[in-house]
PDB file of all heavy atoms in Angstrom:
ATOM      1  N   LEU A 160       7.664  49.709  -7.467  1.00 98.00           N
ATOM      2  CA  LEU A 160       8.668  50.768  -7.124  1.00 98.00           C
ATOM      3  C   LEU A 160       9.646  50.490  -5.956  1.00 98.00           C
ATOM      4  O   LEU A 160      10.809  50.878  -6.055  1.00 98.00           O
ATOM      5  CB  LEU A 160       7.852  52.083  -6.836  1.00 98.00           C
ATOM      6  CG  LEU A 160       7.087  52.731  -8.004  1.00 98.00           C
ATOM      7  CD1 LEU A 160       6.177  53.868  -7.527  1.00 98.00           C
ATOM      8  CD2 LEU A 160       7.910  52.983  -9.195  1.00 98.00           C
ATOM      9  N   ARG A 161       9.161  49.777  -5.032  1.00 98.00           N
ATOM     10  CA  ARG A 161      10.054  49.302  -3.821  1.00 98.00           C
ATOM     11  C   ARG A 161      11.090  48.525  -4.367  1.00 98.00           C
ATOM     12  O   ARG A 161      12.216  48.370  -3.753  1.00 98.00           O
ATOM     13  CB  ARG A 161       9.294  48.544  -2.846  1.00 98.00           C
ATOM     14  CG  ARG A 161       8.268  49.172  -2.149  1.00 98.00           C
ATOM     15  CD  ARG A 161       7.510  48.146  -1.213  1.00 98.00           C
ATOM     16  NE  ARG A 161       8.273  47.800  -0.197  1.00 98.00           N
ATOM     17  CZ  ARG A 161       8.217  48.462   1.058  1.00 98.00           C
ATOM     18  NH1 ARG A 161       7.334  49.426   1.178  1.00 98.00           N
ATOM     19  NH2 ARG A 161       8.917  48.099   1.971  1.00 98.00           N
ATOM     20  N   LYS A 162      10.909  47.714  -5.448  1.00 98.00           N
ATOM     21  CA  LYS A 162      11.981  46.705  -5.858  1.00 98.00           C
ATOM     22  C   LYS A 162      12.997  47.277  -6.733  1.00 98.00           C
ATOM     23  O   LYS A 162      13.984  46.612  -7.056  1.00 98.00           O
ATOM     24  CB  LYS A 162      11.247  45.612  -6.620  1.00 98.00           C
ATOM     25  CG  LYS A 162      10.318  44.717  -5.690  1.00 98.00           C
ATOM     26  CD  LYS A 162       9.846  43.510  -6.436  1.00 98.00           C
ATOM     27  CE  LYS A 162       8.756  42.850  -5.886  1.00 98.00           C
ATOM     28  NZ  LYS A 162       7.765  42.211  -6.865  1.00 98.00           N
ATOM     29  N   CYS A 163      12.715  48.507  -7.289  1.00 98.00           N
ATOM     30  CA  CYS A 163      13.630  49.161  -8.309  1.00 98.00           C
ATOM     31  C   CYS A 163      14.921  49.685  -7.665  1.00 98.00           C
ATOM     32  O   CYS A 163      14.913  49.932  -6.479  1.00 98.00           O
ATOM     33  CB  CYS A 163      12.893  50.196  -9.012  1.00 98.00           C
ATOM     34  SG  CYS A 163      11.303  49.802  -9.693  1.00 98.00           S
ATOM     35  N   ILE A 164      16.032  49.836  -8.394  1.00 98.00           N
ATOM     36  CA  ILE A 164      17.166  50.539  -7.853  1.00 98.00           C
ATOM     37  C   ILE A 164      17.103  51.884  -8.480  1.00 98.00           C
ATOM     38  O   ILE A 164      16.787  52.206  -9.686  1.00 98.00           O
ATOM     39  CB  ILE A 164      18.378  49.667  -8.374  1.00 98.00           C
ATOM     40  CG1 ILE A 164      18.505  48.313  -7.553  1.00 98.00           C
ATOM     41  CG2 ILE A 164      19.631  50.551  -8.081  1.00 98.00           C
ATOM     42  CD1 ILE A 164      19.787  47.625  -7.891  1.00 98.00           C
ATOM     43  N   TYR A 165      17.477  52.820  -7.558  1.00 98.00           N
ATOM     44  CA  TYR A 165      17.618  54.291  -7.877  1.00 98.00           C
ATOM     45  C   TYR A 165      18.916  54.779  -7.779  1.00 98.00           C
ATOM     46  O   TYR A 165      19.564  54.684  -6.643  1.00 98.00           O
ATOM     47  CB  TYR A 165      16.568  55.019  -6.854  1.00 98.00           C
ATOM     48  CG  TYR A 165      15.183  54.607  -6.941  1.00 98.00           C
ATOM     49  CD1 TYR A 165      14.722  53.369  -6.445  1.00 98.00           C
ATOM     50  CD2 TYR A 165      14.205  55.452  -7.604  1.00 98.00           C
ATOM     51  CE1 TYR A 165      13.418  52.930  -6.495  1.00 98.00           C
ATOM     52  CE2 TYR A 165      12.894  55.063  -7.794  1.00 98.00           C
ATOM     53  CZ  TYR A 165      12.533  53.794  -7.151  1.00 98.00           C
ATOM     54  OH  TYR A 165      11.198  53.408  -7.304  1.00 98.00           O
ATOM     55  N   SER A 166      19.469  55.065  -8.847  1.00 98.00           N
ATOM     56  CA  SER A 166      20.841  55.543  -8.887  1.00 98.00           C
ATOM     57  C   SER A 166      20.971  57.115  -8.812  1.00 98.00           C
ATOM     58  O   SER A 166      20.348  57.812  -9.591  1.00 98.00           O
ATOM     59  CB  SER A 166      21.460  54.951 -10.138  1.00 98.00           C
ATOM     60  OG  SER A 166      22.782  55.539 -10.360  1.00 98.00           O
ATOM     61  N   VAL A 167      21.748  57.606  -7.945  1.00 98.00           N
ATOM     62  CA  VAL A 167      21.944  58.977  -7.799  1.00 98.00           C
ATOM     63  C   VAL A 167      23.473  59.348  -7.730  1.00 98.00           C
ATOM     64  O   VAL A 167      24.109  59.053  -6.791  1.00 98.00           O
ATOM     65  CB  VAL A 167      21.295  59.535  -6.393  1.00 98.00           C
ATOM     66  CG1 VAL A 167      21.595  61.029  -6.244  1.00 98.00           C
ATOM     67  CG2 VAL A 167      19.818  59.303  -6.405  1.00 98.00           C
ATOM     68  N   GLN A 168      23.847  60.092  -8.802  1.00 98.00           N
ATOM     69  CA  GLN A 168      25.289  60.364  -9.013  1.00 98.00           C
ATOM     70  C   GLN A 168      25.254  61.945  -9.345  1.00 98.00           C
ATOM     71  O   GLN A 168      25.227  62.236 -10.525  1.00 98.00           O
ATOM     72  CB  GLN A 168      25.937  59.567 -10.075  1.00 98.00           C
ATOM     73  CG  GLN A 168      27.495  59.860 -10.122  1.00 98.00           C
ATOM     74  CD  GLN A 168      28.203  58.905 -11.040  1.00 98.00           C
ATOM     75  OE1 GLN A 168      27.713  58.282 -11.895  1.00 98.00           O
ATOM     76  NE2 GLN A 168      29.570  58.765 -10.739  1.00 98.00           N
ATOM     77  N   ILE A 169      25.519  62.747  -8.404  1.00 98.00           N
ATOM     78  CA  ILE A 169      25.321  64.130  -8.613  1.00 98.00           C
ATOM     79  C   ILE A 169      26.245  64.970  -7.516  1.00 98.00           C
ATOM     80  O   ILE A 169      26.437  64.531  -6.525  1.00 98.00           O
ATOM     81  CB  ILE A 169      23.910  64.492  -8.538  1.00 98.00           C
ATOM     82  CG1 ILE A 169      23.698  65.967  -9.211  1.00 98.00           C
ATOM     83  CG2 ILE A 169      23.268  64.608  -7.191  1.00 98.00           C
ATOM     84  CD1 ILE A 169      22.412  66.151 -10.003  1.00 98.00           C
ATOM     85  N   GLY A 170      26.604  66.153  -7.956  1.00 98.00           N
ATOM     86  CA  GLY A 170      27.446  67.042  -7.091  1.00 98.00           C
ATOM     87  C   GLY A 170      28.651  67.656  -7.725  1.00 98.00           C
ATOM     88  O   GLY A 170      28.978  68.665  -7.353  1.00 98.00           O
ATOM     89  N   SER A 171      29.267  66.887  -8.682  1.00 98.00           N
ATOM     90  CA  SER A 171      30.492  67.442  -9.338  1.00 98.00           C
ATOM     91  C   SER A 171      30.349  68.907  -9.814  1.00 98.00           C
ATOM     92  O   SER A 171      31.117  69.760  -9.596  1.00 98.00           O
ATOM     93  CB  SER A 171      30.883  66.601 -10.413  1.00 98.00           C
ATOM     94  OG  SER A 171      31.154  65.328 -10.032  1.00 98.00           O
ATOM     95  N   ASN A 172      29.126  69.036 -10.431  1.00 98.00           N
ATOM     96  CA  ASN A 172      28.881  70.376 -11.068  1.00 98.00           C
ATOM     97  C   ASN A 172      28.702  71.446 -10.090  1.00 98.00           C
ATOM     98  O   ASN A 172      28.777  72.585 -10.319  1.00 98.00           O
ATOM     99  CB  ASN A 172      27.695  70.294 -11.983  1.00 98.00           C
ATOM    100  CG  ASN A 172      27.992  69.551 -13.312  1.00 98.00           C
ATOM    101  OD1 ASN A 172      28.995  70.002 -13.966  1.00 98.00           O
ATOM    102  ND2 ASN A 172      27.409  68.515 -13.739  1.00 98.00           N
ATOM    103  N   ASP A 173      28.201  70.956  -8.889  1.00 98.00           N
ATOM    104  CA  ASP A 173      28.054  72.084  -7.859  1.00 98.00           C
ATOM    105  C   ASP A 173      29.311  72.603  -7.418  1.00 98.00           C
ATOM    106  O   ASP A 173      29.542  73.688  -6.713  1.00 98.00           O
ATOM    107  CB  ASP A 173      27.266  71.378  -6.604  1.00 98.00           C
ATOM    108  CG  ASP A 173      25.893  71.019  -6.971  1.00 98.00           C
ATOM    109  OD1 ASP A 173      25.034  71.940  -7.180  1.00 98.00           O
ATOM    110  OD2 ASP A 173      25.608  69.905  -7.009  1.00 98.00           O
ATOM    111  N   TYR A 174      30.401  71.929  -7.762  1.00 98.00           N
ATOM    112  CA  TYR A 174      31.857  72.485  -7.678  1.00 98.00           C
ATOM    113  C   TYR A 174      32.330  73.081  -8.993  1.00 98.00           C
ATOM    114  O   TYR A 174      32.533  74.323  -9.031  1.00 98.00           O
ATOM    115  CB  TYR A 174      32.739  71.304  -7.129  1.00 98.00           C
ATOM    116  CG  TYR A 174      32.465  71.014  -5.696  1.00 98.00           C
ATOM    117  CD1 TYR A 174      31.626  70.070  -5.359  1.00 98.00           C
ATOM    118  CD2 TYR A 174      33.024  71.832  -4.697  1.00 98.00           C
ATOM    119  CE1 TYR A 174      31.320  69.749  -4.009  1.00 98.00           C
ATOM    120  CE2 TYR A 174      32.766  71.651  -3.339  1.00 98.00           C
ATOM    121  CZ  TYR A 174      31.824  70.590  -3.036  1.00 98.00           C
ATOM    122  OH  TYR A 174      31.590  70.338  -1.735  1.00 98.00           O
ATOM    123  N   ILE A 175      32.409  72.233  -9.985  1.00 97.00           N
ATOM    124  CA  ILE A 175      33.175  72.864 -11.179  1.00 97.00           C
ATOM    125  C   ILE A 175      32.234  73.811 -12.024  1.00 97.00           C
ATOM    126  O   ILE A 175      32.832  74.673 -12.639  1.00 97.00           O
ATOM    127  CB  ILE A 175      33.644  71.604 -12.153  1.00 97.00           C
ATOM    128  CG1 ILE A 175      32.678  70.690 -12.474  1.00 97.00           C
ATOM    129  CG2 ILE A 175      34.886  71.013 -11.467  1.00 97.00           C
ATOM    130  CD1 ILE A 175      33.128  69.631 -13.316  1.00 97.00           C
ATOM    131  N   ASN A 176      30.967  73.703 -11.854  1.00 98.00           N
ATOM    132  CA  ASN A 176      30.104  74.619 -12.563  1.00 98.00           C
ATOM    133  C   ASN A 176      29.256  75.407 -11.581  1.00 98.00           C
ATOM    134  O   ASN A 176      28.048  75.661 -11.843  1.00 98.00           O
ATOM    135  CB  ASN A 176      29.188  73.987 -13.618  1.00 98.00           C
ATOM    136  CG  ASN A 176      30.022  73.673 -14.840  1.00 98.00           C
ATOM    137  OD1 ASN A 176      30.676  74.589 -15.402  1.00 98.00           O
ATOM    138  ND2 ASN A 176      29.974  72.444 -15.314  1.00 98.00           N
ATOM    139  N   ASN A 177      29.867  75.816 -10.497  1.00 98.00           N
ATOM    140  CA  ASN A 177      29.228  76.606  -9.456  1.00 98.00           C
ATOM    141  C   ASN A 177      30.368  77.221  -8.476  1.00 98.00           C
ATOM    142  O   ASN A 177      30.865  78.203  -8.792  1.00 98.00           O
ATOM    143  CB  ASN A 177      28.175  75.862  -8.716  1.00 98.00           C
ATOM    144  CG  ASN A 177      27.326  76.807  -7.857  1.00 98.00           C
ATOM    145  OD1 ASN A 177      27.852  77.790  -7.249  1.00 98.00           O
ATOM    146  ND2 ASN A 177      26.069  76.553  -7.608  1.00 98.00           N
ATOM    147  N   TYR A 178      30.612  76.471  -7.501  1.00 98.00           N
ATOM    148  CA  TYR A 178      31.448  76.994  -6.525  1.00 98.00           C
ATOM    149  C   TYR A 178      32.884  77.518  -6.955  1.00 98.00           C
ATOM    150  O   TYR A 178      33.368  78.538  -6.507  1.00 98.00           O
ATOM    151  CB  TYR A 178      31.770  75.951  -5.391  1.00 98.00           C
ATOM    152  CG  TYR A 178      32.384  76.247  -4.064  1.00 98.00           C
ATOM    153  CD1 TYR A 178      31.613  77.130  -3.168  1.00 98.00           C
ATOM    154  CD2 TYR A 178      33.772  76.165  -3.845  1.00 98.00           C
ATOM    155  CE1 TYR A 178      32.276  77.468  -2.002  1.00 98.00           C
ATOM    156  CE2 TYR A 178      34.313  76.625  -2.634  1.00 98.00           C
ATOM    157  CZ  TYR A 178      33.441  77.230  -1.725  1.00 98.00           C
ATOM    158  OH  TYR A 178      34.040  77.687  -0.446  1.00 98.00           O
ATOM    159  N   PHE A 179      33.428  76.819  -7.944  1.00 98.00           N
ATOM    160  CA  PHE A 179      34.857  77.232  -8.414  1.00 98.00           C
ATOM    161  C   PHE A 179      34.710  78.023  -9.769  1.00 98.00           C
ATOM    162  O   PHE A 179      35.624  78.094 -10.584  1.00 98.00           O
ATOM    163  CB  PHE A 179      35.752  75.958  -8.616  1.00 98.00           C
ATOM    164  CG  PHE A 179      36.049  75.451  -7.254  1.00 98.00           C
ATOM    165  CD1 PHE A 179      35.677  74.075  -6.935  1.00 98.00           C
ATOM    166  CD2 PHE A 179      36.940  76.059  -6.452  1.00 98.00           C
ATOM    167  CE1 PHE A 179      36.099  73.670  -5.636  1.00 98.00           C
ATOM    168  CE2 PHE A 179      37.359  75.609  -5.234  1.00 98.00           C
ATOM    169  CZ  PHE A 179      36.891  74.416  -4.793  1.00 98.00           C
ATOM    170  N   LYS A 180      33.447  78.661  -9.962  1.00 98.00           N
ATOM    171  CA  LYS A 180      33.272  79.551 -11.148  1.00 98.00           C
ATOM    172  C   LYS A 180      32.763  80.977 -10.532  1.00 98.00           C
ATOM    173  O   LYS A 180      31.736  81.304 -10.654  1.00 98.00           O
ATOM    174  CB  LYS A 180      32.271  79.026 -12.088  1.00 98.00           C
ATOM    175  CG  LYS A 180      32.676  77.943 -13.033  1.00 98.00           C
ATOM    176  CD  LYS A 180      32.748  78.348 -14.463  1.00 98.00           C
ATOM    177  CE  LYS A 180      33.560  77.565 -15.324  1.00 98.00           C
ATOM    178  NZ  LYS A 180      33.412  76.171 -15.409  1.00 98.00           N
ATOM    179  N   PRO A 181      33.714  81.644  -9.849  1.00 97.00           N
ATOM    180  CA  PRO A 181      33.339  82.914  -9.137  1.00 97.00           C
ATOM    181  C   PRO A 181      32.829  83.986 -10.170  1.00 97.00           C
ATOM    182  O   PRO A 181      32.122  84.847  -9.673  1.00 97.00           O
ATOM    183  CB  PRO A 181      34.654  83.262  -8.429  1.00 97.00           C
ATOM    184  CG  PRO A 181      35.744  82.598  -9.119  1.00 97.00           C
ATOM    185  CD  PRO A 181      35.126  81.344  -9.660  1.00 97.00           C
ATOM    186  N   GLU A 182      33.222  83.865 -11.426  1.00 97.00           N
ATOM    187  CA  GLU A 182      32.650  84.821 -12.338  1.00 97.00           C
ATOM    188  C   GLU A 182      31.260  84.689 -12.659  1.00 97.00           C
ATOM    189  O   GLU A 182      30.617  85.617 -13.156  1.00 97.00           O
ATOM    190  CB  GLU A 182      33.571  84.811 -13.624  1.00 97.00           C
ATOM    191  CG  GLU A 182      33.469  83.512 -14.498  1.00 97.00           C
ATOM    192  CD  GLU A 182      34.497  82.481 -14.003  1.00 97.00           C
ATOM    193  OE1 GLU A 182      34.772  82.310 -12.758  1.00 97.00           O
ATOM    194  OE2 GLU A 182      34.902  81.664 -14.866  1.00 97.00           O
ATOM    195  N   PHE A 183      30.705  83.520 -12.289  1.00 98.00           N
ATOM    196  CA  PHE A 183      29.221  83.317 -12.490  1.00 98.00           C
ATOM    197  C   PHE A 183      28.351  83.174 -11.234  1.00 98.00           C
ATOM    198  O   PHE A 183      27.154  83.301 -11.175  1.00 98.00           O
ATOM    199  CB  PHE A 183      29.008  82.111 -13.273  1.00 98.00           C
ATOM    200  CG  PHE A 183      29.360  82.110 -14.689  1.00 98.00           C
ATOM    201  CD1 PHE A 183      30.595  81.545 -15.143  1.00 98.00           C
ATOM    202  CD2 PHE A 183      28.541  82.798 -15.710  1.00 98.00           C
ATOM    203  CE1 PHE A 183      30.942  81.724 -16.489  1.00 98.00           C
ATOM    204  CE2 PHE A 183      28.960  82.794 -17.011  1.00 98.00           C
ATOM    205  CZ  PHE A 183      30.173  82.244 -17.426  1.00 98.00           C
TER     206      PHE A 183
END
Side-chain angles (χ1 to χ4, degrees):
L160 294 175
R161 294 175 74 90
K162 292 185 195 153
C163 307
I164 290 182
Y165 298 76
S166 172
V167 177
Q168 182 171 29
I169 198 143
S171 302
N172 288 306
D173 294 293
Y174 287 95
I175 55 181
N176 281 308
N177 189 329
Y178 194 76
F179 291 111
K180 282 246 159 56
E182 64 276 33
F183 290 100

